[in-house]
Amino acid sequence: MHVLHDAPLAPLTTFRLGGPATRLVTAVTDTEVIDAVREADDNGTPLLVIGGGSNLVIGDKGFDGTALRIATRGLELRGTTLELAAGEVWSDAVARTVEAGLAGIECLAGIPGSAGATPIQNVGAYGQEVSATITEVVAYDRRAGETVVLSGEECGFSYRHSRFKADPERYVVLRVRFGLEDADGLSAPVKYAETARALGVEVGDRVPLAEARATVLRLRAGKGMVLDPEDHDTWSAGSFFTNPILTEEEFAAFHARVRARLGDGVEPPAYPAGEGHRKTSAAWLIDKAGFTKGYGTGPARISTKHTLALTNRGEATTEDLLALAREVVAGVREAFGVTLVNEPVTVGVSL
């Protein structure tokens, strides 16, 4: 276990923002993770768990407590079962499953961050969500003071949500287990229309695994969603806002606002989201409210490649980023009556 005091946290996040932690502990085994958590809990010390840092917005004042960086490693494939230590690099793990000829997470290629974060956020993209393949999550239960194993059903997954996100102070993820599919080198059925178009197939078709992964990486890179230290469009948390899920009544009111603002012929994106609900596109809302690609004049701006990503152009502070986020939220609310919700976890700050 490695311990630093007054340690910078910005380098541990993809935004490259935020002040220092009073104490930074780097744990490389599950036992070290549990020991660090127990020590903080026993002493009443605030605890911040950091994986890949791709979903964190840390305040400029930093974190007054113990920041625990989970750097555990371990990837094991047994038939179609995959087990990942929480600190494993997610994009590398996806690549390994594709090389092994196993389907189920190939369209989640290029997503930054660690494996342990995937069940917390129910990470998803291009028609796949980890909830479809996670069979078990091994976690330290801070309330019970013991390690527990939760089935996929017990994780309470929904859109960008889970039991872990609902109760963030209770569980620390240690390991994640997945049930994948051997489809003779083919992908899972392609579910996302944009992916299908890029592959030149129909929704529901299967394609070679490597082709599916490469296509998703190309699509993500075109939107600045694959990390590149030389590209400030990737100094972000990826999608900063979740896609709004509206009741039928809320969607009708939203639809009326769209017609009034943009004309009778304009139809907003709408997708089924469970009985009595519809999901619409946050990126569409942002763009149609006037916040186009590259919007902003300061050191924090909307990505030049995708309206859903807020970015650090190199000299930004967290307050610069939050000011932009608040401007976007207020503008979308005024234009369409819909309130956007941030996807990244905020530490010491809020919108």
Side-chain angles (χ1 to χ4, degrees), residues 47 89 105 122 142 152 186 200 228 237 244-246 279 281 284 318:
L47 180 70
V89 177
I105 57 175
N122 186 17
R142 298 168 67 182
L186 296 179
D228 179 352
I245 295 177
L246 307 175
K279 180 169 65 176
S281 165
W284 187 91
T318 301

Side-chain angles (χ1 to χ4, degrees), residues 74-75 77 82-85 88-115 118 123-125 128-130 133 178 180 187 209-217 220:
L75 183 155
L77 277 168
L82 169 69
E83 179 173 302
L84 296 175
E88 276 292 325
V89 177
W90 174 252
S91 57
D92 292 348
V94 173
R96 286 282 299 277
T97 65
V98 170
E99 291 169 4
L102 297 176
I105 57 175
E106 62 279 358
C107 290
L108 303 178
I111 293 176
S114 63
T118 61
V123 164
Q128 290 182 343
E129 288 183 330
V130 293
T133 51
F178 300 82
L180 304 178
S187 70
L209 277 165
E211 187 177 346
R213 175 177 176 269
T215 298
V216 166
L217 286 173
R220 290 185 64 86

Side-chain angles (χ1 to χ4, degrees), residues 144-200:
E146 62 183 15
T147 300
V148 297
V149 179
L150 301 174
S151 68
E153 291 77 14
E154 290 174 312
C155 291
F157 290 124
S158 59
Y159 173 67
R160 299 297 178 271
H161 198 68
S162 69
R163 178 176 187 168
F164 312 105
K165 190 173 181 180
D167 195 357
E169 301 299 318
R170 179 167 182 179
Y171 298 101
V172 176
V173 175
L174 301 173
R175 299 189 166 267
V176 189
R177 295 171 182 150
F178 300 82
L180 304 178
E181 178 188 8
D182 185 347
D184 295 322
L186 296 179
S187 70
V190 176
K191 294 182 179 180
Y192 199 65
E194 182 184 13
T195 314
R197 286 194 300 271
L199 287 162

Side-chain angles (χ1 to χ4, degrees), residues 286-312:
I286 292 166
D287 180 71
K288 298 304 181 184
F291 303 100
T292 53
K293 295 174 184 176
Y295 178 88
T297 58
R301 303 179 197 174
I302 291 177
S303 166
T304 66
K305 300 181 180 71
H306 199 289
T307 54
L308 202 48
L310 308 187
T311 67
N312 171 11

Side-chain angles (χ1 to χ4, degrees), residues 241 289-291 295-297 300 302 310 320-334 340 351:
F241 300 103
F291 303 100
Y295 178 88
T297 58
I302 291 177
L310 308 187
D320 293 327
L321 175 76
L322 293 177
L324 175 61
R326 291 171 186 134
E327 183 183 1
V328 171
V329 169
V332 168
R333 186 189 298 119
E334 181 180 358
L340 295 176
L351 291 189

Side-chain angles (χ1 to χ4, degrees), residues 131-150:
S131 57
T133 51
I134 287 177
T135 57
E136 292 180 329
V137 174
V138 181
Y140 178 68
D141 184 341
R142 298 168 67 182
R143 188 176 303 165
E146 62 183 15
T147 300
V148 297
V149 179
L150 301 174

